[in-house]
Every structure is written in structure tokens, then in C-alpha cells.
Amino acid sequence: MWKKDEPEKVSPEPRPASPPPPGSRMDESRKPASPVEQAAIGRSIRIQGDVTGDEDLLIQGTIDGSVTLEAHALTVGPDGDVRADIRARVVTVQGRVKGNLNAEEQVILQASSRVQGDISAPRVVLEDGARFRGEIDMGDPDEGLSVRSEDGADEKGGPESSGPSKTSRAGVLAEGETASTATKRAPGDSGTASVKDRIPAKTGS
Amino acid sequence: MSWLSLLRGEAPPGPAPSPIGEAGGPREVEGAAPGAGLFFSSCLGRSDLAVLDLGPSSAMSFGIYRTMARRIRFADLFSDWGEEGWAEALRTVPRDPSRAVDRILAWDTLDRLSPEGRHRLIRILSQVAAPDARLHMVIRGSREAAPGALRFQLAGTDRMVYELGDKGAGGGLGPPLLPAELHTLLLPFQVENAFTLRGDLREYVAVWRGGD
């Protein structure tokens, strides 16, 4: 309606070694003191084989094989199509993945994601609208499991600490709270679970 | 209401339920699910359970499962993932007793299978279930209860939201499942509680008694 004559601005393809845009989810999940190096695999790129690296990676293309970034973050962008097992520190999916996801810290399935495979991570975020088929394994509860409530407070879970009887999605019910009221979710609220002892403070979301 | 129904914990009959998706009727319903309340009350104080939800993934349901489970599987039986059929979604569920499933949620599942498919599903579930595993089901009270596939989500441990969805793969409905027929079909799961939900749906909680 306004400025019809102005040519439409097209976002450039993400370039290697550029930090994520301010305010992006990746930026939120990782806030280092120095700029983060991030490589990118563009939309027209197809890779058959194993991808390994020592920097963050954004995948917008197609990969068939495996992806291993032990200490770094991997993002499968909205156009990304990955048929591979993935291993990274943090895995964020906006596109399609068929394969198992193994993250040292966190897996985030965003609303546009479509994932088929098993997830192994101490902390998993499943956003409303994400499509997922498989198993989510959040590790051994004997290693000091706590569930992070949405207000950010950590509460201990597990049989020893659950109090007399009632638990809620945040682990323990407040006095006088019913199970149903405690488990009511706010609109747009996504499921998040964490194992406190494994998560560095900087990754809180 | 018969004394037998009372013993089984069945709810007294309420006002005539209105079908979901009927012309002018609701496409989405939220209501109390007393069976879910009982089902999840058996999980209190647990954080180590394994949950198998036969429906599509849901952030709302995941938020509840994660408080009690460390392994959560969404089988998404009837969505089109390019597979050959619903049973393929259960192929990867481990049969290993050490990885058995403690809680199974089967909402709008049995209705959508043929009689043979229903028996096959219960056979698979009994293979993956842990001793004393609990099964929570929602089944149509009649053929007219909903004209298509229903999508369920938990809105709390004793409330559910269900909406009429697209038919999707395997979205057809099998023949009506009568209560007496269900009790036989579910063996070795034994029905412990039954309730009527809004929208002419029936809710059942059953316990695996395979070890008896």
C-alpha cells in the first residue's frame, strides 16, 4: 500500500563467519562476550556425507549423512532439510530433520519444525505448532533432576522431594493449589524441561 | 445408573451430549476429564516414568508429561509422515523390559482402526507396557459423536481440549466400539474407570494386568 515503487528488500543469504542477528533466538540462547563464528550452508547446497566442525552452523540446504559439532550450536533453518543424526551442544530446528538429535545442553523445536527421530538432551523445548514423532529422553533423574518453572525458579523434583502427594508441571504444587490449576499453561507457552546440574547459567531462556 | 456402573466409577449420565463439528456446533471443546485426573494422580511424586502418547506432539501435553517422565514418545500414529501405516510409528518402540512404557495415552485411536487393527494395536501396547502400566483412552460414544479425526491436548492434569481436525492418513472411522466389546478387546489391560465427556465421548482408564 505504501511506497509501492520501492523495490522489495531481499534478505541476503546468511554468510559464513557472521554473528547471528541481534534479538534472534540463537542470540538469546548464547550470549558470549566475543562475536560468535557461524558458518552457513545455503539453500542450494546439497551435501551427502558427514559434516563436522568447530564453529556454530546454520543449515538452510540439504544434508544426508551426519552432522557433528560437539561444542557448538547447530541451527536447521526454515529451508533446511537434514536426513542425518545430529550431535551438537545446542540444536535448534526450524525446518525438517529425519534423524536422531543429541545435544549436550538443549534441543529447541520451533513452531515451524518437523522432526522425526529420537531426541536426547537434558533440556528440550517443544514449541506450539512443532511437529515431532519420536522419543524425548531427558536423562537420568537420579543425577539431581529439577524442573524449571516458567518464572525461572528451579524446584527439585523426584520422589524424595515431591512432598506429601501433589506435583505439578513445575514439580511441586504450592499450598492450596490444585493439580489442574497448577498445570494450566499460558497461551504460547512452550514445554521446557531441564536438568539443572548440567545447564550452565548462561543458557537460561 | 446401575450399581455395577457405580462400582466401576462411571459418572452418572448428564445432559444429552452434542456432537463436535455438527453444523452450528463447536469445532473445539475444552472440558473436565476426570479419567485423566485419576490417570495422572497415579504419577504423583514420580519423575522417572516413560510416557507413550499415540497422538501428535503437543507443547501443552509435553509440559505436563515432563513433570513426571524422563522418556516421552509422541507416536503420531495417523499423521502423514510418508510411512506405510500407523503400525510403522510403533516399530521403533523398544520391546526391552528395561525400557518399558509406564503410561500410555490413546485418544481417538481405537475408533480410527479396523477391528483387526484394534487387536493389533492392543497386542503391541501389551508388549511395550511395564507391569501396572496405565492406559488412558478416549473413544466416541457413538458414530455420530464427531464426523472426523479429533485432536486432543491436555489443558491440565484433569482437563482436555479437543478439536475436529483434518481427516489425515488413517482418518476413517472403524465400526462403533461398544463398552462390553472394549473390555474384551483391551485384555490384558483391565478397565478401572470410565467417564462420559462433553461431545459424546467416553474416557477410560485401564491397568495392565498381564503379570497376574
Side-chain angles (χ1 to χ4, degrees), chain A residues 162-167, chain B residues 44-45:
Chain A
S162 59
S165 60
K166 293 178 178 177
T167 58
Chain B
L44 291 173

Side-chain angles (χ1 to χ4, degrees), chain A residues 170-191:
Chain A
V172 183
L173 287 177
E175 196 153 345
E177 197 178 15
T178 64
S180 62
T181 56
T183 52
K184 275 277 191 183
R185 302 184 66 78
D189 192 6
S190 59

Side-chain angles (χ1 to χ4, degrees), chain A residues 98 114-116 118 124-141 145 147-148 150 157-160 162 165-171 179-180 183-185 189-194, chain B residues 30 43-48 51 55-64 66-67 69-83 85-86 88-89 92 94 99 151 153-159:
Chain A
K98 186 171 184 178
R114 188 178 162 105
V115 176
Q116 189 172 11
D118 293 342
V124 177
V125 177
L126 182 64
E127 288 189 358
D128 204 16
R131 291 194 58 195
F132 167 68
R133 178 192 267 181
E135 182 172 282
I136 297 169
D137 188 336
M138 287 181 290
D140 189 348
L145 177 75
V147 178
R148 190 172 58 83
E150 300 309 321
E160 298 82 16
S162 59
S165 60
K166 293 178 178 177
T167 58
S168 71
R169 68 189 247 275
S180 62
T183 52
K184 275 277 191 183
R185 302 184 66 78
D189 192 6
S190 59
T192 313
S194 68
Chain B
E30 178 177 345
C43 306
L44 291 173
R46 303 290 300 269
S47 62
D48 59 345
V51 171
S57 61
S58 150
M60 289 165 75
S61 299
F62 177 61
I64 289 171
R66 68 186 171 82
T67 65
R70 64 181 164 127
R71 287 192 291 120
I72 299 161
R73 178 179 290 271
F74 289 101
D76 201 0
L77 291 195
F78 299 114
S79 296
D80 178 17
W81 287 87
E83 307 284 359
W86 62 266
E88 178 70 16
T92 56
R99 292 177 58 82
R151 178 182 162 83
Q153 296 187 85
L154 290 170
T157 51
D158 58 2
R159 291 189 72 77

Side-chain angles (χ1 to χ4, degrees), chain A residues 34-202:
Chain A
S34 59
V36 179
E37 284 198 3
Q38 185 190 38
I41 294 173
R43 289 179 178 80
S44 65
I45 307 294
R46 298 178 65 91
I47 296 174
Q48 277 198 315
D50 302 332
V51 175
T52 60
D54 202 18
E55 60 192 300
D56 293 352
L57 177 63
L58 168 66
I59 298 173
Q60 291 281 34
T62 303
I63 294 183
D64 199 337
S66 73
V67 181
T68 307
L69 305 172
E70 289 290 358
H72 292 272
L74 171 76
T75 301
V76 178
D79 296 322
D81 187 358
V82 177
R83 291 172 176 268
D85 289 344
I86 293 172
R87 178 177 287 273
R89 184 176 58 79
V90 176
V91 179
T92 305
V93 184
Q94 300 163 338
R96 301 166 76 98
V97 175
K98 186 171 184 178
N100 299 329
L101 309 184
N102 196 316
E104 190 185 327
E105 287 182 10
Q106 187 176 22
V107 170
I108 303 166
L109 303 189
Q110 293 193 347
S112 57
S113 66
R114 188 178 162 105
V115 176
Q116 189 172 11
D118 293 342
I119 294 175
S120 177
R123 188 170 171 189
V124 177
V125 177
L126 182 64
E127 288 189 358
D128 204 16
R131 291 194 58 195
F132 167 68
R133 178 192 267 181
E135 182 172 282
I136 297 169
D137 188 336
M138 287 181 290
D140 189 348
D142 294 337
E143 290 179 28
L145 177 75
S146 74
V147 178
R148 190 172 58 83
S149 60
E150 300 309 321
D151 59 9
D154 278 326
E155 299 171 11
K156 279 192 176 178
E160 298 82 16
S161 59
S162 59
S165 60
K166 293 178 178 177
T167 58
S168 71
R169 68 189 247 275
V172 183
L173 287 177
E175 196 153 345
E177 197 178 15
T178 64
S180 62
T181 56
T183 52
K184 275 277 191 183
R185 302 184 66 78
D189 192 6
S190 59
T192 313
S194 68
V195 175
K196 181 184 174 184
D197 294 349
R198 296 186 194 171
I199 308 296
K202 69 177 181 182

Side-chain angles (χ1 to χ4, degrees), chain B residues 125-174:
Chain B
L125 295 183
S126 63
Q127 287 168 359
V128 303
D132 293 327
R134 281 172 163 72
L135 171 62
H136 183 245
M137 287 163 293
V138 179
I139 291 167
R140 287 166 170 76
S142 67
R143 192 81 189 252
E144 292 73 36
L150 289 169
R151 178 182 162 83
F152 286 83
Q153 296 187 85
L154 290 170
T157 51
D158 58 2
R159 291 189 72 77
M160 296 183 87
V161 180
Y162 32 105
E163 61 183 318
L164 199 61
D166 298 329
K167 268 199 153 188
L173 295 180

